[in-house]
Amino acid sequence: MTKKQKLNWKKRGCLFLAGTIASMWAFYVYQPWEFDFIPRVLPTKNDSIEPDAAKLFHGNPRVLIVTAHPDDAEFYLGGILTQLARTGAELHLVVCTDGDKGYYPWEDASRNRRIRRSEQIQAARQWNARDIIFLGLPDGRLRARARVVTLVREKIDALKPDYVFAFDSEYPPRLSHQDHRRAGDIVKLAIRSANFHGWLMLFSTLAPNYARDISDEWSSQLRLLELHASQFRGPRLERITRMVYQNARADGSKIGASLGEGFRCAKIP
C-alpha cells in the first residue's frame, strides 16, 4: 500500500469515526432521556425534615401535584396519594404533557393522547383527585418557557395549596426523562413568582430528607400502575413493578420501613 493510500484510509477512518460520533450525539439529543455524564454533587448536609405531617395527613390540606406525563403521579406517588385520599386531603393534579410520544414519526400521537388522558383520569379517581388540568404540551420536548411557568403559577395562586409535589430537577436520578427535569424547573420558577407559603415536596430525588412509610399501600399502588395499561402491561408491567418496588425498598430503609416514598422537602418561604 502506498503512502497516499494509507493517508486515504486514515482519512476515511477519521470521517467514519466523526460521523458515528455525530450520529450518536444527534440520537441522544433527539430522544427524550438525559444522562448526567458528570455526577451531580449532592448536598453534604441533608438533615431529615418533618414537613408538618400531622397537617399533611390529618388537617385536610390543599395539595397540588405537578407531573410531566400521565402515569407519573401513580408511578412516583401512588402510596402517599392513597394515604392522602384516605385522610381527606384536597388533591389537585396538573399534567404538563399527554405522553403521546409525538416525537416519533411512527406513533399515532392523537390516539395516544386520548388513551393516556383517559387512563390518567381513571387512575386519579382512585385517589380522589378534585380536578385534573392537562396542559397538552409536546411530549418529550417540555421546556420551562414563560407561558408554561405562568400557567402553573396561576394555578398555585388560585388554589393556594399548603403542599406542592413536583419532580426534583436539582438532584434527579442520573438517568432520567428530560420532561421530568423540566417539569421540576417549571414548578421551581412558578414558586418563585407565586404567592406560595407552604411545603415544596420534591420526588424522584437523589437527596431525600423525608420518607413516608407506604408499606400498607403497596397493593393499591400496583392497582394504580395497572390502570395505565397502554404503558405497563405484560413483561413491561413486571419490570416497572420491580423498579418501583426497589425504589420503595431503598426509601423505606431510610426510616426502618419495608417500603417508603422519599422526598426532598423545603418550607417556602
Side-chain angles (χ1 to χ4, degrees), residues 150-177:
T150 298
L151 290 173
V152 175
R153 177 184 57 76
E154 289 175 347
K155 179 62 176 177
I156 293 172
D157 285 338
L159 179 61
K160 294 181 173 55
D162 302 295
Y163 293 83
V164 173
F165 285 74
F167 281 99
D168 189 352
S169 61
E170 190 172 357
Y171 301 111
R174 193 171 180 185
L175 174 65
S176 57
H177 201 292

Side-chain angles (χ1 to χ4, degrees), residues 2-200:
T2 65
K3 186 176 181 181
K4 185 177 181 180
Q5 288 174 324
K6 289 181 180 180
L7 289 174
N8 286 337
W9 274 107
K10 287 183 179 180
K11 184 177 180 180
R12 290 175 185 174
C14 291
L15 290 173
F16 176 78
L17 179 61
T20 301
I21 293 172
S23 297
M24 292 175 63
W25 179 251
F27 176 76
Y28 174 75
V29 172
Y30 173 77
Q31 58 80 46
W33 290 82
E34 285 188 14
F35 179 74
D36 293 329
F37 293 96
I38 300 175
R40 301 190 182 212
V41 178
L42 300 180
T44 55
K45 186 177 181 182
N46 196 33
D47 296 334
S48 297
I49 291 179
E50 177 65 34
D52 293 343
K55 178 179 181 180
L56 179 58
F57 294 100
H58 302 288
N60 305 118
R62 288 185 299 275
V63 178
L64 176 63
I65 305 105
V66 181
T67 66
H69 312 106
D71 77 31
D72 287 341
E74 291 72 33
F75 185 103
Y76 293 100
L77 305 170
I80 200 168
L81 290 177
T82 299
Q83 292 180 351
L84 289 171
R86 188 169 59 245
T87 55
E90 182 183 318
L91 302 170
H92 301 259
L93 175 64
V94 172
V95 184
C96 293
T97 83
D98 294 326
D100 55 40
K101 296 179 174 61
Y103 47 88
Y104 289 134
W106 57 83
E107 288 283 346
D108 187 343
S110 297
R111 179 177 178 274
N112 291 344
R113 191 174 300 118
R114 290 193 303 272
I115 292 173
R116 299 204 67 186
R117 283 195 180 199
S118 177
E119 289 173 344
Q120 179 62 91
I121 291 169
Q122 185 180 5
R125 284 174 180 160
Q126 303 304 306
W127 47 267
N128 297 339
R130 184 72 61 91
D131 67 348
I132 307 172
I133 296 175
F134 294 99
L135 299 183
L137 298 166
D139 181 26
R141 301 294 183 262
L142 186 61
R143 299 292 183 268
R145 296 193 171 96
R147 180 177 65 87
V148 186
V149 173
T150 298
L151 290 173
V152 175
R153 177 184 57 76
E154 289 175 347
K155 179 62 176 177
I156 293 172
D157 285 338
L159 179 61
K160 294 181 173 55
D162 302 295
Y163 293 83
V164 173
F165 285 74
F167 281 99
D168 189 352
S169 61
E170 190 172 357
Y171 301 111
R174 193 171 180 185
L175 174 65
S176 57
H177 201 292
Q178 65 174 325
D179 286 354
H180 295 177
R181 300 183 184 204
R182 300 298 87 76
D185 289 336
I186 288 165
V187 172
K188 184 166 60 177
L189 292 170
I191 289 290
R192 289 177 183 173
S193 58
N195 183 28
F196 175 65
H197 305 282
W199 284 95
L200 181 59

